[in-house]
Each structure stands twice: as structure tokens, then as C-alpha cells.
Amino acid sequence: MNRWTQGVILGIALLVLPGFAWAQQGTITGTVTEAETGDILPGATVQIVGLGTGAATDAEGKYEIANVPAGEQTVRVSFVGYQASESTVTVPEGGTVRVNVQLKTAQAQLEEVVVTGFGREQTRGETNVSVSQIDAGELTETTEYENVSDLLQGRTSGVTVSRSSGNVGAGLRFDVRGGVSLNSDGQPLIFVDGTRIAQDPAPGFDVGGQGTGSPLADLDPSNIESINVLKGPAATSLYGTDGTDGVVLIETKSGEQGQDLQVEYQGTLGVATKQSGYNDDIYPTADRLNDIHRQGNIQGHRIAVSGSGDITTYNLAYSYRDTESIFPTGEGQRNNVNASIEARPTESLTISSRSTLAFNYYDRPIADNSIFGVLGALALDAPFGDFTERDSSAYFAIEDRQRVRKFQQSIELSYRPETVPGLRLRAQGGADISARRNDQTRPSQYEDVYNSVGGERNALDSDRRRFNADLTATYEYDITSDLSATTTAGTQLFTESDRQINATASRIGTDLITDIDAGTQLDFIGESLSNERSAGIIGRQQFEFLDRYSAEFSVRRDWSTRLVAGETDSFKEWYPAARASAQIGDFEVIPDAVSRLNVRASWGQSGSLPDLVDGEFLRLQGQASGFGSGAVIGNVGDPDLGLERVNEVEGGFDVGINNRYSLSVTYYRQNTDNSIVNFDPALSTGFGNQNAPRNVGEIFAQGIETSLDVTALRTEQHTLSFNANYSYREREVKELGGQSIFGGFQRNVIREGLAPFTFFGRRVEGARFDDSGEYRGPEVTDERVELGNPVPDHFGGIGFSATLFEDLRVNAQAEYQLGHQTYSNTARFLALRGGHEQRRALQSELDNLQAGTDRYRAVANELARTNPNVGEIDNFLQDADFLKLRTVGVRYDASSLIGSVAGVDQLRTFTVGFSASNLFTITSYDQGPDPEVNSEGSRGLIRGQEFLTLQNPREYTFTLEVGI
């Protein structure tokens, strides 16, 4: 037993040992059922308000809570999807009181329990911030999902999630309220069962621009129970600088108290195909491009065991999924082992452990911006360029394989001392450890194609470690009979380290030897190591008056190894927040049909830290040269660099009508100042080839988020419900020190007066003619102007779910995005090489027309808009609005039918199902097969640019699930 464990046990003992006078006690028992049908509700939560004690109903809907102090007690019963119920009872000394509860369904969704930060749970109708929750456990019962991103698309207001390409395991780009931080990568902080996981892509070799993927791609969606999304500083200020771009809280499945042993098997078979083909009006080789895509096979197996004992609940699962890419040489294999165990050795102490072990493999095709990419060979060169003279098998022969070993562990201890009612002590620790091996090989027999003598071998090893610890103490108490309060204090610790080493060797000699040390020529070797630590302390005070009005104040202070000098002790590291809500649904002026009306307002601050060494004036790094090894300037920083600061004001309301309709509306307004922007230092400093950071940036953003849920029908055998959400956002860079920051190809820009990532360049006004009326190229604006926006202004989703005759379930979800554009570098480079079919047809027609005629001028104007020779003009920029049917799922539970026919009593479930994703797309974008992809993966300044990027696939899967 280590000292830390001994300290925890000693601390608990000090709380328990002091002598307190014990009151006479009794017992509360009863049954929880559904009000409309009378069905039992196993797993419902029963709590004694103010005492912090409770129990869960067993498989028969029964519960029992012993050692309850005699006298009046308030019993609260809650269950996901139902309205919570509270009742006051008198507990007799040494006796038992029975409390049977019937819960009404919460069709209005306002009774869903959501997590609002640091373990605090509230119903949606009580929250004072906007929180989006996805019931992943229910969704996966009906629909098969390839990736965690599929669970989020179209279901969360204010958030867009997309895969950057169709590669298996591709990177995910989260966009939470558009992101108003210049210093972060726009990705939210992600916790899985309380473990903070790496949200940035792991290192690896590029395959034409795509990164190595997302850590979330390593997770099995079927093992996820719920996802909560906190969207802005008003909700995430308790997470400090780490929560600037939102916080995503993922909880995996666990066992239920009172549940008998259950064993479940699920098998999946399916195919992946391309969504749409290349436009033959643009691509002369459209048929070959379409034919090169294949039908990829999908196979999956999952077995889970769950149940409970006297003091424990458990859920153990193993899943395997093999997905072939729609492009040759692409494939992904995912192996997940999940274990969730919870023990309650006493009524006061709960210990839980959740573990995930992953062994995953990804083979990635060379695509995007690569001269060795097959899509490039077919789209840009054949039949016009040099690639037709080369052996096409050389492109398929390049191997790029990643091998991932990943371990996540979360341990939580929750203690509610019986001697101090209302007090809860919570300690949680998490570890996210991954090792990734990336091998890339170019065979020797194609050395003339690869321009590498004797073949080439690349190898990279990466080791990533993340550890976090949360310690909180929460005390609930009554100030008066009408006023209650909750005080929370805690700390959060985090450390991360990344180490990688990679090497490139050539002159392998023979393909029979693949070890990198078989190369007689070492072309490159490199190593990197980074280590960061951060900590924060939090305080939160909440008041509730008449169980109707709520006010909350919180503050956090951060420390970080990124702050090595300057303002490390300044007030700027404190992040305050204030929130309030009022439940006014039962006021006399409110119509009786309104079952719940919650009005809320909040304000909060967050920020973003500088880069790891931006606070150091000068950092040197080693470099080899012809004169030997030495030191060169690696980074120039500013010791007085301050922290970026984000302020957010949020307000809204949640209304439920007749327990069938719920509407949530939120308005937010954000302002970011003190953002860090890099500048070129004066040449006199001697740092002319470096960038120096300064605090000058300011960004403004505002938006509206709405969501609507409707229960149109609910009977004993049939249900029908609809959901819809809509969001609007606008953003503007207010200050940037007078400079502009461009991304690749000089198309996306961060510039004062524009939204971040705006397409910026010269606009084509039409054709330019000489005095004789001859066409002389495009007429463009003299100055660069705003051309478009890669981030949608309007977005949302529409869906429905239905149950027919109890056993047949159907759901579907669609997503739409409006008000944005995509730039096709593929079409432009095709035109550069003389292969753009539409441009060639226009040029041919123009050559046969008389200059100066109306038709000649009309064709010339069209031809001008396909000119590729001025790189920053708006040709090949096109509206990318779309409506996609994201998922469709159908499940039929035949267990009762089979059980009655075959006389099998042990069969709990026997379900067959069909799922489809990306079933159809409605869009005007026709310069590529998919308007969503991004040629530079899921990070970076490049947005909305497509360059030979593999489209996202359409998938069809069939499932069989058997449970006993």
C-alpha cells in the first residue's frame, strides 16, 4: 500500500471516527413503476434529499433504504426519460414505511439528467447553462455506428462534427460555437469516464495531408452510454483554460444494481460504398475515378457480460470491428476490451473502476496532395500527363500501417459520511496511455517512380501519456426552510508527455527484408519530447430558494508550466462565472398547458495558454552541420506574454408543454481579447527568421441555438417522437495588430473585419477583352476581398424515432449546413494541366465563334470563371450547402415470438436490424463527390478545401443480437 492510499484511508477514518450522537433510525421501502402502463422500472434512483443516501431499484422495481433517521424525510425518485417525483414521509423509529412511486414519462425531455461540470447533475429543466445530451445507449440499440462522430452529427445544437476524409479512423473536427480562440486548435476538452484523453491527432506520416486520425476513432460507439456537451465559457469556466473550446463528457456503459447475470452477443456484417461519383462534365476520367473505388466489407462482433452482486455491479465487453475502406489498400481493425466495476462496500462508500484496452490497426491509402496518390494520377494526369507512362501498381504498392496500443483507466471513490449528512467527498483519477507505431514502405522495384534508390523505409514510434486527478468536496445544507445551499471546493491536476522518434532509410536492397536498419543509407532521423503540467483550484457556491430560484457563483485559478515568467501571479489566471435560473412554469399567468418553464442566464470567463515555450525569451536547439553539431535558435518568445481571455454571456429558456413538447432557446455573446499573434521581429534583433508572439488579437462572436422535441404518440405498444435543432452564428476578428494570417494555398485568412478562416482573394468580375473584342483572360478585382466562408452560418438536424407493436423500432437523423463554401483544388489543378472538361469545351466553342458577338462574350465570361492561372481568385469556390440523411436504423426484437414458438425461457433478446449511414446527400456542390472533406485533415488553418480527398463512405450494415 503506497503512501497516497494510506493518506486517503487515514483521511476517511478521521471523518468517521469522531463520536456523533446517532438518532433512532428506520427503513424506507417500496416499488417504482411507470404511471401510464404500470410496468416496473428497474434501475431507478431513489434518494433521501439532504442526506446523500439512496438506492437503485432491482430487477423487480423494488428498493430498500435502511438506517434512515426517524422523522420527516423527502424521497426523490428519478429515472432517465421520466419526470422526477418527490414526496415527504414520516419514518417511524425502528420501523418501516412503504413509498410506492409511479413516474410519469418526460416526453418533453426536460427531466433528462445532464452533467453541468465537475460531477454536478441536474435535470434539463433546472439547468442554468445550455447543455446538450445524447443518449448514446438508446441510439445504439437501434442503429449501428462506425465512429463516435456519427453519434453527434446533426443532434447537438451549436456543434458540428465531421470526419476530415473517408479514411478509416480519420480525424474528427469539432466546431463548438465556431471557436473564438486564436491560440487553441478549436477542439473541445474530452473526458471519457472522467479520464482526460488526448484530443489532438497523434504524430505520424502524412498520406497527402491527412493526419493520423482521432483518439475518439479508437473507441467503440456501442460501449458508450451518454455524451454531454458543455459549449462555452459560461458553462466551462470551471475547467479553466482547458475548456475554452467546450467540454465533451463521455460515459461508457455500466451494470445496474439488482440486475441478474446477462450475456449478450452482437454480430455485424455490412458494406461500405462511395456516396457519389465524380462529375463527368468536369473530370474527363470520371469513369476511371469512380471505378477505382471499391465496395469495402464490414464485419463486427461484440460480446458483453453484465450483472450485479450484493455490493457490486459490473459490465464487461469485448468488441472487434474490421472495416475496409472504399479505396484499395485502406482498412481498419479495432479491438476494444471494456471493463466497468462498481462496488458499494457500505452505504457511504462507492468505488468504481472503468477500463478500456484497445489494440487497433489502420492501413491508410496515399491520397490527397501527393504525387504518389492514385486519385491524383487518375484525376490530374491520365490521359494528359506523365503518369500514364508509369506502372500504376507502384501507387498501390506503398504501404502505410499504424499499430495502436491504448489503455484508459478511471478510478473514482465517492464517500458520504453518515455522521455529516449532505457531505460528499470525491476523488477521481484517470490515465490515458497510448503507443503508436507507424510504418511506411516504398518497394525497391519502383524506385524510378518514387525517386528513392533501392526503396525506402520510414518508421515512427510515439508514446503518449496523460494523467489527471480530481479531488472535490461538496456540502449540501439548508440555511432556512426555504433556502438551501451547496458548497463545492476542489482541485484538478493534469500532466502530459509525448515522446516520438522517427527515421527514414533507403537502399534497402531487397523487399524480403523490411527492417529499417537494412537500409544502407540513413536519410533522416529525429526525436522529440515534450512534457507539460497544469493544475487548478475551484470553488463553487450555489443557492436555491423555494426550490424554484437558483443562483451559482464559481471561480477557478490555473497554474501551468507554459507560464514560466512574467504574469504567472496576475489576476488574469482567475476565471470567474455566475449563473442563475428561475422555474416559473407554475405561475398563475402561465397557461396550464405549460408543464415546465425555466429561464436562465449565465456569464463566465475562460482563456487559452500560449504555446509551450512562448513565454521563454530564447530557446536553443541542436543541429548538425558540415562543421559538426551545434546550437541554433529554435524559438523566440516573450516573458511578459499574457493569457488570452474569453468572456461569454449566455441566456435562454426551456419550456415544456403538455409533457409532449419541449423547446430550448439559447443566445450567447462572446468576446476574446489579448489573443496571441506571431509577428516578425525587427531585423536588428538578429531573430529575423523567427516569429515573436504578442498579445494583440480580439475576436467577437454571437449566435442562437434552438432545439425542439415532440412526442406525437405514446401508447402501450406505439411511440412516435421527433427532434429538430437549428443554430446560427456569426464571428468577426476585431483586432490582429494590422496583419493577416494565411493558411495553405493562400486561401483561408484570419484578418481584421472578417470571420476567422474566411476565403480571401481577388474576385473574378468576368472576361477581359481587347479593343477588337478578343478574349484576354479574366477581369479580376485589384485588391483581395472576402470571397466566402468555409464554416456554415446556419446548421442543425431533423430526426424521428418510432416504436411499433412494442418490438419494432425505427429511427432516422438528418443534418443540414447552410451558408458556406468549399474550394476544389482538384478542379483547379485539373484545369492547370489542361484536363478540365468544362473548360476545354468552353475553349473549343470560343475558338469557333466570332469575336465581339453576344455568344462569344457569354462563353468568354464562363471561360474566365474556369481560369486556374491566378491562384488566389474565386474560381473553383462553390456553395457547399447540403442536407444529408446521416443515419437510418431499424430493429425488430423477435425474442417473444421465438420464445413462444420454441419454448425457450432463457432468451432475453433476439434482435435483427438494418442500418445505413450517409444514405443520400442533397447539395449544389458538384466539383467533387463530397462537400464535407478537408485536404489538411482535422486541424490547422486550412478549412473547406478539397484536394484529391477521399470522400466519406456510405455504409449498410445488418446486425444480429442475442441476449440471455
Side-chain angles (χ1 to χ4, degrees), residues 512-777:
L512 299 177
I513 301 176
T514 57
D515 292 344
I516 194 169
D517 58 2
T520 59
Q521 178 174 308
L522 183 63
D523 299 311
F524 175 82
I525 187 168
E527 183 179 18
S528 66
L529 171 66
S530 66
N531 190 298
E532 295 184 47
R533 294 180 300 278
S534 62
I537 56 173
I538 65 167
R540 178 170 58 191
Q541 181 64 54
Q542 183 191 22
F543 299 97
E544 288 191 7
F545 182 62
L546 296 175
D547 292 327
R548 182 193 303 273
Y549 306 102
S550 172
E552 182 179 314
F553 307 92
S554 66
V555 67
R556 171 170 174 141
R557 178 166 182 171
D558 278 341
W559 288 266
S560 173
T561 52
R562 293 193 182 196
L563 302 173
V564 296
E567 300 189 39
T568 54
D569 294 324
S570 72
F571 178 76
K572 290 186 177 182
E573 294 170 66
W574 292 91
Y575 297 103
R579 310 174 186 92
S581 65
Q583 300 179 51
I584 58 175
D586 57 355
F587 281 14
E588 291 185 3
V589 295
I590 304 298
D592 294 338
V594 177
S595 53
R596 170 83 72 172
L597 178 57
N598 181 50
V599 181
R600 47 186 165 76
S602 57
W603 164 81
Q605 290 189 345
S606 185
S608 184
L609 293 170
D611 286 340
L612 185 58
V613 294
D614 276 356
E616 296 184 21
F617 173 67
L618 191 65
R619 174 168 282 242
L620 303 178
Q621 67 182 31
Q623 181 172 307
S625 71
F627 301 97
S629 298
V632 297
I633 297 174
N635 189 81
V636 176
D638 182 1
D640 294 325
L641 202 64
L643 301 177
E644 180 186 66
R645 201 162 193 81
V646 183
N647 288 270
E648 181 181 67
V649 176
E650 176 188 295
F653 63 87
D654 309 290
V655 59
I657 300 176
N658 290 331
N659 286 326
R660 287 186 176 273
Y661 310 91
S662 72
L663 173 67
S664 294
V665 178
T666 300
Y667 168 77
Y668 66 89
R669 186 182 183 93
Q670 297 177 337
N671 189 78
T672 303
D673 55 27
N674 225 29
S675 291
I676 299 172
V677 180
N678 288 326
F679 284 82
D680 296 330
L683 295 178
S684 59
T685 63
F687 303 140
N689 62 338
Q690 300 289 329
N691 291 321
R694 290 166 51 188
N695 292 110
V696 297
E698 181 181 347
I699 307 178
F700 165 79
Q702 64 179 348
I704 296 174
E705 299 165 357
T706 66
S707 63
L708 174 68
D709 293 278
V710 177
T711 299
L713 174 67
R714 186 177 182 90
T715 67
E716 186 174 348
Q717 289 191 319
H718 310 287
T719 65
L720 177 62
S721 61
F722 298 90
N723 70 82
N725 67 83
Y726 163 77
S727 300
Y728 166 77
R729 61 187 168 200
E730 64 177 65
R731 300 159 301 147
E732 182 182 348
V733 178
K734 294 292 188 180
E735 178 65 40
L736 208 62
Q739 69 167 327
S740 298
I741 304 173
F742 284 92
F745 295 105
Q746 298 288 298
R747 305 201 190 286
N748 298 111
V749 71
I750 298 178
R751 180 182 174 89
E752 294 172 359
L754 302 177
F757 318 116
T758 290
F759 288 115
F760 190 66
R762 290 188 285 171
R763 189 181 303 281
V764 176
E765 303 290 355
R768 179 168 49 86
F769 303 93
D770 62 15
D771 293 339
S772 64
E774 291 283 347
Y775 171 61
R776 289 292 180 262

Side-chain angles (χ1 to χ4, degrees), residues 6-18 415:
Q6 293 175 344
V8 172
I9 295 176
L10 178 60
I12 295 174
L14 290 175
L15 290 170
V16 176
L17 290 177
Y415 180 63

Side-chain angles (χ1 to χ4, degrees), residues 877-941:
L877 182 68
Q878 194 175 42
D879 288 342
D881 300 346
F882 68 80
L883 170 65
K884 285 197 175 190
L885 182 55
R886 288 295 190 187
T887 58
V888 173
V890 181
R891 287 289 195 277
Y892 176 67
D893 188 351
S895 55
S896 58
L897 177 63
I898 294 177
S900 61
V901 173
V904 179
D905 297 330
Q906 293 81 10
L907 191 63
R908 184 173 53 86
T909 61
F910 188 94
T911 304
V912 292
F914 167 77
S915 298
S917 63
N918 293 323
L919 200 55
F920 71 80
T921 302
I922 300 175
T923 181
S924 61
Y925 181 79
D926 63 2
Q927 297 192 96
D930 190 353
E932 277 195 285
V933 296
N934 190 57
S935 62
E936 286 297 309
S938 58
R939 299 295 190 275
L941 201 153

